[in-house]
Amino acid sequence: MIRTDIEMEKAAMILKLLGDKTRLTMMKLLENHDCCVCEFVEIFQASQPSISQHLRKLRDVGIVKEERRGQWIFYSINQNSEYFPFVQQVLLQLPEQEDKLKELEAKGTRVTCC
Amino acid sequence: MIRTDIEMEKAAMILKLLGDKTRLTMMKLLENHDCCVCEFVEIFQASQPSISQHLRKLRDVGIVKEERRGQWIFYSINQNSEYFPFVQQVLLQLPEQEDKLKELEAKGTRVTCC
DNA sequence: TGCATATATAAGTAAATCATTATATATTAA
DNA sequence: TTAATATATAATGATTTACTTATATATGCA
């Protein structure tokens, strides 16, 4: 029998990680677009270290990956993560966050940075 | 347009609540059976206050409800909660925990108490 | 090369979390 | 009514979390 289930301990760990508004919204945004750190800083109106620390947690468990593009580092969802199917199912329940990116574009902040 | 989406802030709050191995397993068990406090104490080999406090958190946001049956208080999933569909989708991803109840029955602890 | 920008990391701190111990309340049975 | 059982709650303390400030590193451009 193929086991697609996630173990309880791991599931709890992932849910705890997603149980933060900033990280959860990050993941929902990453569902459709790669984003760089400065975009998140702008979107969440948070300090850069705070954003970096959230991203590190997501990266440490492997549900996002990073990729340098010149000066910027882009984050994206790691579809190879063992947790990907689980995370994806959770994200599917959430409302789109496209408006947040639209705002960036309106302000011109999106283009400037990335 | 009918809004079935849960808001991000609420979603994060629920996920944080589920992001604990004990509470998550409780919810998964409750998916199929009502349980009383002493069963949880037995299953998790935890102290009674610890179990009660976890249950209180689940009750405070309304995803479980309690019902006294004589000496015992049984907990069950509150299907009327606005969060129920969201919670249910998460629980669906998790492995069954029936074996934990079977163990209780084997030990005779299930019958004794409830 | 030197400076600006983007990002990561380290250290410190306040608040939240989860267990424990102690105690209170409600029910049942003697 | 008294004792035992099941549960809740309060108070305390250790650990974790999520910020902040300060600093380090890497890239791109003048």
Side-chain angles (χ1 to χ4, degrees), chain B residues 38 48-49 52-53 56 66 71-73 75:
Chain B
C38 57
Q48 175 267 315
S52 276
Q53 283 157 17
R56 189 185 211 292
E66 56 170 13
Q71 208 166 354
W72 298 284
I73 295 182
Y75 282 83

Side-chain angles (χ1 to χ4, degrees), chain B residues 60-78:
Chain B
D60 279 350
V61 304
I63 62 179
V64 305
K65 58 188 182 194
E66 56 170 13
E67 179 201 346
R68 182 176 280 277
R69 294 189 205 156
Q71 208 166 354
W72 298 284
I73 295 182
F74 277 76
Y75 282 83
S76 58
I77 292 201
N78 177 12

Side-chain angles (χ1 to χ4, degrees), chain B residues 8 17 30 32 55 83 100:
Chain B
M8 294 303 277
L17 197 64
L30 292 177
N32 298 316
L55 287 168
Y83 307 120
K100 296 208 167 47

